[in-house]
Amino acid sequence: MSGHDCEACPVASELAPMGMQVGGVDRVIALAGNPNTGKSTLFNALTGLRQHTGNWPGKTVTRAEGGFAYDKVRYKIVDLPGTYSLLSASQDEEVARDFILFGQPHAVIVVTDASALERNLNLVLQVLEITDRVVVAVNLMDEARRKGLDVDTRSLARDLGVPVIPIVARTGEGLHALLTAVDGVSSGAVQTAPLRVTGTPEFEHAVRELMTHIEAAAPGVPNSRWLAIRLLDGDARVEEALRTGELTRLVSRQQQQDVRFSKQIALQGAQ
């Protein structure tokens, strides 16, 4: 084992209000994707019988989480609801968006369908707007081959700026490469450069102005650009988080955990 327990990590304080305990694991991974991409098949292939299901607090949305170990690192993986976007238009989208944004998992695996890749990339781009720590799993490669489709995952990885791994979750093809990529991204050993869409000069100016206000209201807030874009799009949930001070409290709590975690690491290093 790695000797590190995620219960002392900043992520623990973010996940506790979501009804999730992370004691006994080293890293937390989110599993996102459109419906019918084989996301649950991948979840089952990684966790086997080490999984359980329930509901998200206050929601009727089912939550599945499980565990697995790879290269002596213990992972908790959370299977987020299948969604086509993170725009909070439904409970499923809100749950997935809040977990990635506020839960701040160590990495997000976005599962896509190799035979319908273009449609799936909308969600990929939205996740890339929120976090740098993304691995794209291009599933159902066998179906794509059967249909005569050639998916150039190497070029896709170059264009998206994150690892893109071809897999067949049903047979286990490519899972070792996927876990190696997840290990690299979640540990920080692999640096990503996510593709982020830019708008007109006027739009970018408005985004920068809003980012300034957001960062002043909640110093240290992660993803201020994404929050600014969502405000411009009229996202009521983000507006509420800012107006009520919820976002400020979340950032403050995370920073307190950061200090405690840093002190703990320093003490371990001095021993």
Side-chain angles (χ1 to χ4, degrees), residues 30 37 92 113 151 161 180 195 199 218 233 250:
T37 56
D92 287 356
D113 179 348
V151 180
T180 300
L195 172 68
D233 200 40
L250 282 169

Side-chain angles (χ1 to χ4, degrees), residues 28 42 74-75 109 121 183 186 191 219 233 242 250-251 254 265:
V28 177
L42 176 59
R74 301 161 301 180
Y75 291 88
I109 302 173
L121 287 178
D183 176 62
S186 62
Q191 296 296 312
D233 200 40
L242 277 167
L250 282 169
V251 173
Q254 180 185 344
I265 293 298

Side-chain angles (χ1 to χ4, degrees), residues 18-125:
M18 300 178 184
M20 191 171 301
Q21 304 300 318
V22 293
V25 301
D26 302 307
R27 298 174 194 162
V28 177
I29 306 298
L31 194 61
N34 289 178
N36 304 316
T37 56
K39 188 165 63 65
S40 295
T41 304
L42 176 59
F43 178 77
N44 290 332
L46 293 176
T47 62
L49 297 176
R50 299 179 299 278
Q51 57 177 263
H52 64 273
T53 59
N55 278 7
W56 291 88
K59 310 285 185 185
T60 56
V61 179
T62 301
R63 180 179 77 197
E65 55 186 81
F68 66 92
Y70 177 74
D71 198 19
K72 299 181 180 178
V73 177
R74 301 161 301 180
Y75 291 88
K76 177 187 282 285
I77 184 166
V78 181
D79 187 14
L80 300 176
T83 63
Y84 293 102
S85 81
L86 299 176
L87 301 183
S88 192
S90 67
Q91 278 200 347
D92 287 356
E93 292 181 1
E94 184 179 349
V95 163
R97 189 274 307 275
D98 285 357
F99 187 84
I100 296 172
L101 178 62
F102 298 122
Q104 297 187 52
H106 295 89
V108 180
I109 302 173
V110 186
V111 184
T112 60
D113 179 348
S115 63
L117 199 52
E118 184 176 350
R119 184 181 61 195
N120 289 191
L121 287 178
N122 178 46
L123 180 65
V124 173
L125 291 173

